[in-house]
Amino acid sequence: MFESRPDRSDEVIFVGRSNVGKSTLMREITGHTFDTGSKPGVTRSPNHYDWASDDFVLSDLPGFGFMSGVPEEQREQIKTDIVRYIEDNADDILVGVLVVDGKSAVDIIDRHSGEDEIPYDVEMFYFLRDVGIPVVVAVNKMDKVDDEDERLDELCDRLGLHPPWKQWQDTIAPISAKRGNIDALNEAVKEHLHEAKRDDLLKFFS
């Protein structure tokens, strides 16, 4: 299922739990509607969006974490597939966008933080960094959050980044995909593309 990657040299990937709004975000960035299926966990293989003229692909990887009606074994398999995909393609991935739900991310992380448990989102954040991929955390659904700065500071704290969040604007990007407000994400991604000397790709994130 994961072998269908288009033959493109450079890639930006989107990862995140189910139901954080990745598909809405992809639609906002690409102007293209993906067939996502109505139930969480329906997207089992990556959706690749490649622009024909450029050596570049955007990949929306399947949602991970708890999914209602999906057995744990299958959830673990999806996570394993995602990790393997990222490891296999790490040298070609220019940016990894980790999409989280601004309203619930901190609570979910706290709920799954224990002696022998690392929350998926934190684990994925560090995994991407460990394999050398610059990470941007797209904090979605911020239109539903009352105190934006406080929430983003808390999220930074959970990810091991020292608050205030505003010093991490190349890493933390508050957005509301449904409302079309994704400027912070575009700016952060563009900064990493520029550092990777791929200014030719900036036009996709404008």
Side-chain angles (χ1 to χ4, degrees), residues 3-146:
E3 276 69 60
S4 61
R5 184 180 184 273
D7 184 20
R8 294 280 186 273
S9 70
D10 287 323
E11 181 171 18
V12 171
I13 59 165
F14 290 76
V15 292
R17 288 177 177 278
S18 299
N19 292 344
V20 293
K22 271 200 297 105
S23 301
T24 309
L25 177 57
M26 295 301 287
R27 193 164 57 237
E28 195 57 43
I29 291 173
T30 63
H32 183 80
T33 305
F34 291 98
D35 177 25
T36 55
S38 54
K39 296 205 301 279
V42 169
T43 314
R44 300 275 158 76
S45 55
N47 275 312
H48 297 289
Y49 192 79
D50 54 331
W51 285 270
S53 57
D54 296 81
D55 202 8
F56 174 61
V57 61
L58 274 185
S59 300
D60 175 17
L61 301 182
F64 57 78
F66 175 76
M67 291 167 257
S68 147
V70 179
E72 185 177 356
E73 194 180 311
Q74 200 170 333
R75 295 201 300 264
E76 286 302 318
Q77 184 58 51
I78 290 172
K79 197 173 140 208
T80 302
D81 287 344
I82 292 170
V83 165
R84 194 172 295 138
Y85 180 90
I86 293 170
E87 282 177 335
D88 289 350
N89 297 293
D91 290 348
D92 300 325
I93 297 173
L94 299 171
V95 186
V97 179
L98 173 62
V99 188
V100 301
D101 180 332
K103 199 164 161 51
S104 63
V106 172
D107 294 339
I108 290 174
I109 288 171
D110 287 352
R111 201 160 58 233
H112 292 279
S113 294
E115 285 174 22
D116 56 353
E117 188 177 23
I118 301 173
Y120 278 161
D121 301 286
V122 176
E123 190 178 22
M124 185 59 72
F125 179 74
Y126 280 99
F127 168 63
L128 288 165
R129 285 183 147 197
D130 287 347
V131 294
I133 298 170
V135 190
V136 176
V137 183
V139 192
N140 196 17
K141 308 187 186 181
M142 287 305 288
D143 52 308
K144 297 178 177 168
V145 171
D146 294 334

